[in-house]
Amino acid sequence: MAAVFYEGRYAATPLVSPDFAVLASAYGLKSATITQRAEVLPMVRAAREHTGTVVIDFRVEQEDSVYPMVRRQ
């Protein structure tokens, strides 16, 4: 997959701080950090059922398949 996008030369910076879920909680918002695929659907369902703002921090591997992927022209 890396060959599809810039042959593995990434045009982004990994964000290691702040902890967005903790920051959102500090402001009284519902939040979660997702680190495994099995957690995605239950958390998205819970967020949709919640009446307020929800911040979800999705942690993915750099080489993971994240869709939709939009190729720059």
Side-chain angles (χ1 to χ4, degrees):
M1 185 58 72
V4 174
F5 292 95
Y6 310 110
E7 298 175 351
R9 297 184 312 270
Y10 299 101
T13 302
L15 297 175
V16 294
S17 68
D19 184 326
F20 293 104
V22 171
L23 185 60
S25 293
Y27 282 95
L29 303 174
K30 181 177 176 80
S31 64
T33 299
I34 303 300
T35 59
Q36 297 181 19
R37 289 179 191 268
E39 300 172 315
V40 173
L41 288 179
M43 187 59 228
V44 170
R45 285 188 190 110
R48 293 186 71 182
E49 292 172 0
H50 186 66
T51 57
T53 301
V54 179
V55 174
I56 306 174
D57 183 3
F58 292 94
R59 304 277 173 103
V60 296
E61 294 295 323
Q62 190 169 7
E63 296 288 335
D64 204 357
S65 298
V66 180
Y67 297 99
M69 295 174 80
V70 180
R71 190 171 184 167
R72 293 178 64 170
Q73 299 290 330

